[in-house]
Amino acid sequence: MKIRCVVERITYQNPENGYTILKCRVKDYAELVAVIGNLLDVNVGSVLLVQGNWKVDAKYGRQFVAESWEETLPATVYGMEKYLGSGLIKGVGPKFAKRIVQKYGVDTFSIIEDNVELLIEVEGIGRKRVQMIAESWERQKEIKNVMLFLQAHGVSTSFAAKIYKQYGNESISIVKENPYRLADDIWGIGFKTADQIAEKLGFEKNSFVRLRSGMMYTLSELSNDGHVYAEKKQLLKAASELLGAEEEFLVMTMDDMLKKEELIQEKTIKKIDAEGNVIEAVYLPPFYFAEIGVAGKLKKLAASSATDLLWTGLMKARAESGNETLSVNVESIEKKAGMVYDEVQRNAIRQAAASKVMILTGGPGTGKTTTTHGIISAYKAYGLKILLAAPTGRAAKRMTEATGLEAKTIHRLLECKPPEGYQKDEEHPLEGDVLIVDECSMIDIVLMNSLLKAIPQNMRLILVGDIDQLPSVGAGNVLRDVIDSGSFPVIRLTKIFRQAQTSRIIMNAHRINEGKMPDISNGKDTDFFFMENEDAEAVVPQIVELVKTKLPKYYHVDAKQIQVLTPMQRGVIGATNLNLALQEAINPPEHEVFLKGRGAVMMPKNTLRRSGFAFREADKVMQIKNNYDKEVFNGDIGIVESVDAENRILKVNFDNRMVEYDITELDELVHAYATTIHKSQGSEYPIVVMPVLMNHYVMLQRNLIYTGITRAKQILVLVGTKKALSYAVRNVIVAKRNTLLRERLTE
């Protein structure tokens, strides 16, 4: 059976599988009707024609289960007002929707369609707004045709809008010709969505275009797991599982792609697997050339001379004295800086003075920052121009605060300008004598290649990082490979300094790194707390109470300064669910406003909805993809400054820089009251709350817990079980990443 309904509110939505619970107004029903099913990206105000059946749920009562649905234009005055006020038409919010419909009633849509200039008669609407409404209405009409076609082929509204934005009026013909283009051209649309469309369009299971796209997707997914290449057998197996195609067709497809150099197979380096077979490494071209580039440039850099005063003076002094170990006078650097370094730190400073490429590594409290400061002092004494960089804005900011010199993100240093890309490269190199890069464990193979391209031959390079942290989110394990190659001087800082020894966070981080259980005895003056709770459902309200009330009250901090870190995205204590609970508690949908004559009243906050999530003013959010146009990058955290429901835009404050998002761009943002430990790399927070339960056992690894703990600057609160913590500490099985960088550096 079919029902026609107007969407009043979205109660729940799972963006992973599209499962949605809507509250809808249906003719002849006094109360709102619950409509459930795969209704992803339906908007409040939409008029839906839903095919399905009624059922009675023991807990939730009467519900309409949707099997299929389509969006239609409303026919009633009420529906028209809801539709116009939903934000679909730019320039019309709830206020103007009410006024327009009050004036024109059931003729509203025909007025907008045929005589839009009449809207000038509506109070508050000027010519500029009329023009905006007219353009938006036309665009919606065009989009509608595309939407209807795409929805008939199983594409959600938000993806349909993105497709239209990318291809315009050619959307339908492009999709018909090659739906797999969607997976390449549009962020968020994966192979599986494209494959569903292709199936409905009648594409064969073993067609070349499908197998090629599936192969590319498989390699891309492997790179998301950190692999720079796929073993041939591994690739064929994964592609076969994905595509359900016969191996002979896959082998033919792969051979064709290798011939056309859409894929590249490693020919020179022979790496043997556990069974003694030579690994056949297959690369996507960007990763192959990035790995080749990183290895080649590092070797060239290390083999060439610097041209600065320190280098030339030191080399001359060594030649004249015959002392090949001669280096700078660390004692005078100590005197100038008012510091006393230990012997390992002194060695680091001496080594940096005589090195073209050097690595400095160590855990928290071992003096990486102090040593870096000493290295900078040595360089400054000889007038060297020093550049500082880090992968994230927060890490760069910390570096600036610690050194007193300006540190930039790698993207800013390389002057990233879309769509051209990085302005700094081999032809336009960086200018300076030394580049010091912090948090290098976060740098993936592609970014490292872009950075190295911009370094001139005479420049020095110092890489600083903690190799015990999680490796980069992107492909590769650059810092570890560079260290393991043994091709460059490495200084390891292991001594925990006295002031750091008073921090239970730091001491426990090192204990975990050594495979020992941390000290979880709570005390009044400690900075490390453990709260036992094995019930995942009960942990959620406990974390909410800690973040909203207990910790802000005790430590006199704003709740938004407290960061919840969790091992996983999904599940009861995953980031998604925790964010929903924390947002509801910290930034609820209504706020108290004092109105003259009415006293204090609760008013709804301006809200934009996307994929079932509500974005409100004062929400804490995170960018989840690199957006070079906006100059915001994966992992950047900001606060929603304002929400314009009428024009469907919101502004986010990223460290005092305003960035504007249209409603179609909101899938680049997620709430960040809670985030995964992976996403927290390179950041530090005053207070961290972290659940550690067996629900996360697939992710519970020593380096994950170690990384999470070391994000806390002042206070860390673990909530969970000793069993889960012990399991994580003992679990050193880290997923192996396919990379040949170490081998390339030693060949």
Side-chain angles (χ1 to χ4, degrees):
M1 65 174 300
K2 283 187 180 179
I3 61 165
R4 186 183 292 273
C5 60
V6 180
V7 180
E8 288 284 331
R9 65 176 183 268
I10 300 166
T11 306
Y12 172 79
Q13 198 159 56
N14 183 335
E16 302 285 338
N17 58 21
Y19 180 76
T20 304
I21 303 172
L22 305 174
K23 289 288 184 168
C24 301
R25 192 164 298 285
V26 181
K27 196 182 173 186
D28 299 331
Y29 287 85
E31 292 182 358
L32 294 180
V33 169
V35 178
I36 64 170
N38 192 327
L39 297 131
L40 193 61
D41 293 314
V42 165
N43 293 290
V44 170
S46 295
V47 179
L48 305 180
L49 193 61
V50 187
Q51 176 94 36
N53 290 294
W54 290 99
K55 78 160 191 177
V56 178
D57 186 272
K59 189 175 178 183
Y60 300 106
R62 190 175 166 93
Q63 297 174 323
F64 192 81
V65 182
E67 289 166 5
S68 64
W69 60 279
E70 61 180 280
E71 198 173 334
T72 65
L73 284 174
T76 65
V77 168
Y78 173 81
M80 286 177 177
E81 187 186 320
K82 271 287 179 189
Y83 181 83
L84 285 177
S86 69
L88 285 168
I89 308 298
K90 230 171 184 173
V92 185
K95 182 178 74 179
F96 284 121
K98 194 175 209 59
R99 288 180 190 176
I100 293 168
V101 173
Q102 272 177 349
K103 187 163 180 67
Y104 297 114
V106 291
D107 297 325
T108 294
F109 285 175
S110 57
I111 292 284
I112 298 173
E113 179 73 38
D114 303 319
N115 294 295
V116 71
E117 62 279 359
L118 291 178
L119 293 183
I120 200 89
E121 295 173 10
V122 177
E123 187 197 343
I125 293 183
R127 295 203 178 279
K128 196 175 171 186
R129 191 173 293 276
V130 169
Q131 183 66 25
M132 198 191 292
I133 294 167
E135 285 171 6
S136 186
W137 182 262
E138 280 306 307
R139 201 159 48 247
Q140 279 301 314
K141 264 189 0 193
E142 288 167 6
I143 289 172
K144 212 87 181 149
N145 295 329
V146 176
M147 293 282 188
L148 288 168
F149 168 78
L150 292 169
Q151 280 178 356
H153 294 88
V155 183
S156 71
T157 351
S158 70
F159 284 154
K162 281 190 170 186
I163 293 165
Y164 184 82
K165 199 172 178 181
Q166 178 79 18
Y167 305 130
N169 293 338
E170 290 177 37
S171 299
I172 294 172
S173 61
I174 285 171
V175 171
K176 277 182 176 175
E177 188 189 332
N178 182 5
Y180 296 101
R181 272 186 63 178
L182 301 175
D184 300 329
D185 296 345
I186 298 164
W187 185 78
I189 295 185
F191 170 80
K192 289 179 181 175
T193 304
D195 200 36
Q196 284 168 8
I197 300 166
E199 190 182 358
K200 289 190 176 176
L201 288 167
F203 279 73
E204 292 290 324
K205 191 173 81 168
N206 288 324
S207 66
F208 175 77
V209 67
R210 178 175 186 262
L211 299 185
R212 180 194 170 276
S213 183
M215 201 77 77
M216 297 294 251
Y217 172 78
T218 304
L219 272 170
S220 176
E221 284 295 288
L222 287 166
S223 76
N224 291 339
D225 292 334
H227 300 298
V228 180
Y229 67 83
E231 294 177 24
K232 206 170 193 178
K233 282 189 288 188
Q234 175 192 23
L235 176 56
L236 287 168
K237 185 172 179 283
S240 174
E241 285 169 7
L242 171 75
L243 298 161
E246 288 93 30
E247 192 168 307
E248 61 180 295
F249 289 106
L250 287 169
V251 170
M252 282 162 61
T253 303
M254 188 189 292
D255 288 345
D256 189 77
M257 291 171 79
L258 287 166
K259 201 180 284 178
K260 291 174 180 168
E261 294 188 348
E262 292 176 322
L263 302 177
I264 295 173
Q265 188 169 330
E266 175 58 39
K267 298 271 193 305
T268 55
I269 291 177
K270 298 284 184 274
K271 192 172 180 179
I272 310 298
D273 65 17
E275 284 85 46
N277 303 310
V278 175
I279 289 168
E280 295 177 283
V282 179
Y283 290 80
L284 285 170
F287 295 115
Y288 177 77
F289 292 117
E291 198 173 77
I292 293 278
V294 168
K297 188 58 182 274
L298 282 173
K299 287 195 284 191
K300 273 185 193 168
L301 266 181
S304 59
S305 301
T307 53
D308 57 71
L309 284 174
L310 173 55
W311 182 274
T312 51
L314 197 56
M315 294 306 126
K316 190 181 173 190
R318 284 182 171 187
E320 287 173 356
S321 67
N323 181 358
E324 287 298 311
T325 61
L326 195 69
S327 192
V328 291
N329 184 339
V330 179
E331 287 73 24
S332 70
I333 292 163
E334 287 179 320
K335 209 173 275 182
K336 257 187 188 173
M339 291 291 303
V340 178
Y341 302 110
D342 76 356
E343 199 46 43
V344 181
Q345 290 177 309
R346 288 186 188 120
N347 280 340
I349 296 166
R350 292 187 196 107
Q351 186 66 64
S355 296
K356 275 297 298 305
V357 178
M358 187 189 100
I359 297 93
L360 178 68
T361 186
T366 58
K368 281 201 304 294
T369 302
T370 310
T371 308
T372 304
H373 211 283
I375 291 169
I376 289 170
S377 298
Y379 288 147
K380 279 172 89 176
Y382 288 83
L384 272 63
K385 185 184 176 185
I386 303 157
L387 305 178
L388 303 181
T392 66
R394 291 185 170 223
K397 194 178 174 187
R398 247 184 7 256
M399 210 178 178
T400 300
E401 288 163 358
T403 62
L405 298 174
E406 187 195 8
K408 295 179 178 178
T409 64
I410 295 171
H411 295 99
R412 266 192 65 215
L413 182 78
L414 299 178
E415 296 176 17
C416 180
K417 286 188 183 156
E420 308 101 80
Y422 298 121
Q423 302 303 292
K424 294 292 182 186
D425 53 22
E426 300 101 322
E427 289 172 25
H428 307 94
L430 296 165
E431 291 172 16
D433 299 304
V434 186
L435 172 62
I436 301 175
V437 190
D438 199 8
E439 296 284 0
C440 287
S441 62
M442 294 180 67
I443 304 176
D444 62 45
I445 194 75
V446 174
L447 184 57
M448 182 58 90
N449 187 43
S450 298
L451 179 62
L452 290 173
K453 275 182 187 176
I455 298 176
Q457 283 299 106
N458 61 337
M459 188 179 268
R460 299 164 180 259
L461 176 65
I462 309 290
L463 301 175
V464 184
D466 181 354
I467 55 163
D468 294 315
Q469 284 189 33
L470 289 166
S472 57
V473 174
N477 202 349
V478 177
L479 186 64
R480 184 167 286 282
D481 282 349
V482 171
I483 291 172
D484 289 351
S485 74
S487 302
F488 313 97
V490 178
I491 303 291
R492 297 173 191 269
L493 302 174
T494 53
K495 180 185 170 185
I496 306 168
F497 283 86
R498 195 176 296 146
Q499 70 191 64
Q501 289 175 14
T502 60
S503 164
R504 190 97 66 81
I505 293 171
I506 288 173
M507 297 310 289
N508 277 338
H510 285 277
R511 284 183 67 86
I512 287 167
N513 216 10
E514 291 161 12
K516 298 172 185 169
M517 266 297 275
D519 176 0
I520 55 173
S521 57
N522 296 326
K524 194 182 174 187
D525 298 321
T526 185
D527 58 358
F528 188 107
F529 298 91
F530 181 80
M531 303 176 79
E532 185 90 35
N533 193 340
E534 62 181 28
D535 182 356
E537 297 279 354
V539 165
V540 177
Q542 187 178 5
I543 287 174
V544 168
E545 194 185 3
L546 280 166
V547 175
K548 187 188 176 185
T549 311
K550 287 188 172 178
L551 292 168
K553 190 178 173 185
Y554 193 82
Y555 293 105
H556 310 290
V557 294
D558 186 273
K560 290 195 183 77
Q561 285 186 277
I562 301 165
Q563 188 60 52
V564 177
L565 299 180
T566 180
M568 291 179 81
Q569 192 66 43
R570 300 177 191 177
V572 179
I573 42 174
T576 303
N577 192 49
L578 284 167
N579 269 318
L580 289 169
L582 287 160
Q583 184 198 26
E584 194 62 32
I586 296 166
N587 194 24
E590 294 183 322
H591 62 151
E592 198 172 69
V593 175
F594 191 84
L595 293 178
K596 205 172 176 182
R598 290 177 63 188
V601 294
M602 298 304 287
M603 297 288 284
K605 290 176 183 171
N606 272 349
T607 300
L608 283 181
R609 291 184 179 274
R610 185 74 165 165
S611 302
F613 296 109
F615 292 91
R616 305 175 191 129
E617 195 174 301
D619 266 339
K620 187 176 177 182
V621 293
M622 178 188 277
Q623 177 78 14
I624 57 167
K625 71 168 283 220
N626 289 338
N627 188 322
Y628 299 99
D629 289 314
K630 297 185 191 293
E631 287 186 43
V632 281
F633 302 100
N634 194 351
D636 286 355
I637 288 179
I639 302 291
V640 177
E641 192 83 9
S642 65
V643 176
D644 183 344
E646 208 159 280
N647 294 309
R648 298 192 297 159
I649 54 174
L650 59 79
K651 289 179 182 170
V652 181
N653 184 341
F654 290 101
D655 285 329
N656 296 319
R657 204 172 67 79
M658 290 303 166
V659 179
E660 191 174 284
Y661 292 81
D662 179 81
I663 195 161
T664 61
E665 300 170 315
L666 290 188
D667 54 356
E668 294 185 19
L669 292 175
V670 294
H671 293 101
Y673 300 97
T675 181
T676 62
I677 296 168
H678 278 90
K679 286 284 189 191
S680 73
Q681 285 174 267
S683 297
E684 281 184 351
Y685 313 95
I687 301 175
V688 167
V689 177
M690 195 161 93
V692 186
L693 288 100
M694 289 309 289
N695 302 53
H696 292 148
Y697 79 95
V698 293
M699 295 296 291
L700 290 178
Q701 294 161 359
R702 187 184 294 174
N703 62 350
L704 186 95
I705 298 297
Y706 172 82
T707 302
I709 285 170
T710 54
R711 299 310 89 204
K713 218 170 168 180
Q714 294 157 16
I715 301 295
L716 175 84
V717 183
L718 293 183
V719 184
T721 65
K722 290 172 191 163
K723 182 185 175 184
L725 188 56
S726 170
Y727 179 86
V729 170
R730 285 183 283 111
N731 185 16
V732 285
I733 302 165
V734 179
K736 181 178 82 73
R737 293 188 164 198
N738 294 341
T739 156
L740 290 177
L741 179 60
R742 183 171 66 86
E743 287 78 6
R744 293 190 196 282
L745 288 168
T746 53
E747 68 172 342

